[in-house]
């Protein structure tokens, strides 16, 4: 028994099981049965653990540890009523037991998760018919229950939590059901299309959003999950009939399984246009205009920001995230972060440690950095913004500590050979998050 207890202390559950099994065979109701049950539970076999604890409890029904272990086993099996009954029996025997309150919380969370999974399965099964014929009372009731739930903190990454967030943040459940698409919610979590809408949720929830430079058509559902009322995405490079999109979580191009045209045709709250804001004539205005890592690409930055004011209402807000060209990875090429740096790679040699700034004078006119990055400096960006907008928020986001460690005095001196008035601040800031309202 001592060797088995030592194995349990080391969390070597397989060894504990090997040592305990003969002891339990000799005495199925002894203390070894509880230890073996715990080992089986830790090894992911609650169905094996359950009869072991039951046999022990038949002999010692007032054993608190067995009751607590029984509750854990029922919880692992998804038997929430039985788990709660065992946990409360343990509390009656030992009201101050330290583990039971937390166990009851886990049981309640497990019951809620099971209920949310059931409701999501129901909505998934009926959403196509509801879009065509309207929602049934059962479906509306399910959506209403999901709306009352609070999504977990990982709703940008977890499909179930993202679905709960979709209904929780919705202001109109019938509209939410018309625009519900489980495949797009799944894509949004896997391709990381929710993190940006969540970051600016206070500016987009319940509002009409124009997303300038929206990319590949996948962000629309991410904005709806964050509570956006309607979404219009603009990008001249968007291929309306291609299902290829950038998986931002793994930084690779993948098949989204649906094209932008199909998304816009199926979901009335999403409109996707292969165009730029300069070339599109709108008859409406928008509550929020968002630009995510777009401003650094605009060769006519002043013209675009000025033109967007025409699409604003009196209380509209413009939100942009700007990736600073003068930071370590402002070149938008590999490597993206120091951990990816391969100093033997000729492509990395050209740009790493702010060498992309030195490189510009020697680049051909058709190079990506010359044709796709405007190289606007931080103070210039703020000056252009302030011509047309009142800035409410200007957050300069620093590069990572690992990156800033590489900004040595020697690097600063080298860069100043190309840009004499460059500041350490300009080289340190990775991005700017700006929130502004049009001047009236």
């Amino acid at each position: 028994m001592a060797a088995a207890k030592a194995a349990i202390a080391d969390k070597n559950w397989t060894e504990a099981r090997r040592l305990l099994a003969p002891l339990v065979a000799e005495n199925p109701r002894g203390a070894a049965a509880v230890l073996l049950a715990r080992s089986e539970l830790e090894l992911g076999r609650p169905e094996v653990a359950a009869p072991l604890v039951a046999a022990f409890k038949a002999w010692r029904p007032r054993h608190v540890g067995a009751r607590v272990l029984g509750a854990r086993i029922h919880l692992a099996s998804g038997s929430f009523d039985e788990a709660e009954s065992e946990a409360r029996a343990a509390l009656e025997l030992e009201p101050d037991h330290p583990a039971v309150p937390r166990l009851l919380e886990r049981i309640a969370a497990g019951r809620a998760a099971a209920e949310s999974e059931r409701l999501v399965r129901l909505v998934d099964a009926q959403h196509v018919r509801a879009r065509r014929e309207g929602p049934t009372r059962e479906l509306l009731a399910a959506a209403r229950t999901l709306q009352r739930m609070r999504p977990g903190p990982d709703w940008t990454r977890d499909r179930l939590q993202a679905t709960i967030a979709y209904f929780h943040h919705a202001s109109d459940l019938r509209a939410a059901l018309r625009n519900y698409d489980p495949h797009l919610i799944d894509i949004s979590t896997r391709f990381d299309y929710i993190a940006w809408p969540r970051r600016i949720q206070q500016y987009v929830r319940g509002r009409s959003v124009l997303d300038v430079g929206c990319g590949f058509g996948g962000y629309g559902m991410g904005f709806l999950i964050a509570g956006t009322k309607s979404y219009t995405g603009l990008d001249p490079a968007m291929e309306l009939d291609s299902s290829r999109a950038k998986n931002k979580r793994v930084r690779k191009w993948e098949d989204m399984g649906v094209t932008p045209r199909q998304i816009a045709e199926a979901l009335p709250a999403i409109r996707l246009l292969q165009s730029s804001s300069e070339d599109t004539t709108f008859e409406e205005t928008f509550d929020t205009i968002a630009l995510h890592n777009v401003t650094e690409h605009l060769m006519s930055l002043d013209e675009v920001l000025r033109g967007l004011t025409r699409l604003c209402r009196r209380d509209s807000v413009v939100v942009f995230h700007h990736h600073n060209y003068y930071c370590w990875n402002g070149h938008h090429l590999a490597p993206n972060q120091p951990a990816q740096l391969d100093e033997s790679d000729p492509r990395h040699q050209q740009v790493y440690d702010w060498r992309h700034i030195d490189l510009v004078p020697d680049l051909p006119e058709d190079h990506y950095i010359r044709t796709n990055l405007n190289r606007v400096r931080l103070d210039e960006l703020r000056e252009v913004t302030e011509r047309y907008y009142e800035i409410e928020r200007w957050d300069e986001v620093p590069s990572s500590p690992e990156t800033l460690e590489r900004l040595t005095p020697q690097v600063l001196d080298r860069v100043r050979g190309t840009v004499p008035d460059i500041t350490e601040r300009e080289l340190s800031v990775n991005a700017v998050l700006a929130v502004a309202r049009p001047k009236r």
Side-chain angles (χ1 to χ4, degrees):
M1 180 71 82
K5 289 182 177 179
I8 289 174
D10 292 337
K11 297 185 177 181
N12 187 344
W13 307 110
T14 302
E15 178 64 8
R17 180 173 62 183
R18 186 186 70 80
L19 295 169
L20 289 165
L23 301 177
V24 174
E26 293 178 8
N27 181 10
R29 300 189 301 178
V34 174
L35 297 179
L36 180 58
R38 183 185 174 192
S39 301
E40 295 289 2
L41 176 62
E42 297 292 348
L43 289 167
R45 304 205 305 172
E47 72 283 358
V48 177
L52 293 168
V53 172
F56 181 83
K57 286 192 303 178
W59 175 53
R60 294 187 60 185
R62 296 183 62 80
H63 191 282
V64 176
R67 292 287 182 178
V68 173
L69 182 58
R72 290 180 56 206
I73 291 169
H74 285 304
L75 175 60
S77 302
S79 302
F80 303 111
D81 291 343
E82 291 83 351
E84 183 175 357
S85 176
E86 287 280 51
R88 296 203 178 279
L91 270 185
E92 289 182 9
L93 294 168
E94 188 177 329
D96 296 327
H97 194 291
V100 175
R102 175 60 184 148
L103 182 55
L104 285 169
E105 289 178 7
R106 289 174 54 202
I107 292 168
R111 183 181 278 119
E115 174 64 2
S116 62
E117 289 174 1
R118 182 188 72 81
L119 294 171
V120 168
R121 286 195 298 271
L122 188 154
V123 175
D124 285 356
Q126 296 190 24
H127 80 281
V128 174
R129 180 181 174 185
R131 191 183 298 166
R132 184 174 60 246
E133 302 176 7
T136 62
R137 288 184 179 179
E138 180 187 33
L139 190 60
L140 274 172
R144 199 171 292 117
T145 302
L146 287 169
Q147 187 180 47
R148 289 194 293 266
M149 294 180 176
R150 284 193 169 274
D154 57 346
W155 58 271
T156 63
R157 307 176 67 94
D158 180 88
R159 196 280 206 198
L160 175 64
Q161 295 305 317
T163 303
I164 295 172
Y166 175 83
F167 287 104
H168 181 74
H169 297 141
S171 56
D172 182 334
L173 282 182
R174 288 184 178 274
L177 287 168
R178 282 196 301 272
N179 290 281
Y180 181 75
D181 190 305
H183 175 73
L184 282 178
I185 292 178
D186 178 58
I187 287 292
S188 297
T189 57
R190 290 194 290 111
F191 281 39
D192 197 23
Y193 286 163
I194 312 175
W196 165 239
R198 180 180 186 176
R199 186 174 178 184
I200 60 171
Q201 186 180 23
Q202 69 187 97
Y203 306 110
V204 304
R205 186 176 181 182
R207 298 167 70 88
S208 60
V209 172
L210 173 65
D211 188 8
V212 177
C214 67
F216 325 102
Y219 268 109
M221 181 54 72
F223 274 89
L224 295 188
I225 291 169
T228 293
K229 180 173 62 176
S230 65
Y231 172 90
T232 299
L234 278 180
D235 199 309
M238 180 174 18
E239 297 182 23
L240 292 173
D241 296 307
S242 172
S243 60
R244 290 184 74 244
K246 189 74 170 286
N247 185 328
K248 295 182 177 293
R249 201 171 297 287
V250 298
R251 297 182 181 276
K252 292 182 180 178
W253 286 84
E254 295 183 11
D255 190 341
M256 193 162 58
V258 63
T259 69
R261 193 184 304 278
Q262 290 169 332
I263 294 171
E265 288 176 350
L267 307 182
I270 294 178
R271 178 172 45 165
L272 298 171
L273 304 173
Q274 186 180 14
S275 183
S276 65
S277 60
E278 308 98 287
D279 297 332
T280 306
T281 301
F282 287 102
E283 295 182 358
E284 77 265 42
T285 53
F286 300 88
D287 297 318
T288 300
I289 298 177
L291 303 93
H292 184 254
N293 291 354
V294 173
T295 46
E296 67 266 26
H297 298 289
L298 298 174
M299 295 305 173
S300 52
L301 179 62
D302 186 291
E303 177 187 349
V304 172
L305 290 183
R306 181 177 70 250
L308 292 179
T309 63
R310 296 192 295 270
L311 303 177
C312 293
R313 300 166 185 165
R314 183 171 296 277
D315 61 345
S316 293
V317 64
V318 173
V319 184
F320 66 76
H321 185 274
H322 172 83
H323 186 189
N324 176 28
Y325 173 76
Y326 296 92
C327 73
W328 192 85
N329 61 3
H331 45 71
H332 285 220
L333 303 169
N336 181 259
Q337 52 187 297
Q340 300 169 348
L341 174 60
D342 178 1
E343 294 189 33
S344 66
D345 188 325
R347 296 168 299 177
H348 291 200
Q349 291 172 8
Q350 282 193 309
V351 298
Y352 84 101
D353 283 354
W354 294 270
R355 284 174 170 81
H356 64 286
I357 301 173
D358 308 330
L359 185 67
V360 172
D362 300 322
L363 292 176
E365 291 298 324
D366 62 349
H367 191 278
Y368 172 83
I369 288 178
R370 282 188 176 274
T371 59
N372 286 274
L373 298 174
N374 57 27
R375 308 190 302 282
V376 65
R377 294 173 67 170
L378 296 179
D379 290 340
E380 293 172 342
L381 176 64
R382 180 156 192 151
E383 179 184 345
V384 173
T385 304
E386 288 180 328
R387 286 177 198 159
Y388 311 107
Y389 302 90
E390 299 288 349
I391 295 176
E392 290 188 357
R393 180 177 173 185
W394 186 272
D395 297 345
E396 296 188 353
V397 183
S399 297
S400 67
E402 297 78 15
T403 300
L404 295 180
E405 286 176 2
R406 306 184 71 89
L407 185 54
T408 63
Q410 292 78 14
V411 168
L412 185 56
D413 289 342
R414 190 195 73 231
V415 176
R416 281 177 173 161
T418 303
V419 187
D421 63 342
I422 198 79
T423 65
E424 187 171 348
R425 160 184 160 256
E426 290 180 273
L427 302 179
S428 301
V429 171
N430 178 267
V432 173
L433 176 63
V435 178
R437 297 186 186 276
K439 290 182 176 180
R440 297 298 182 188

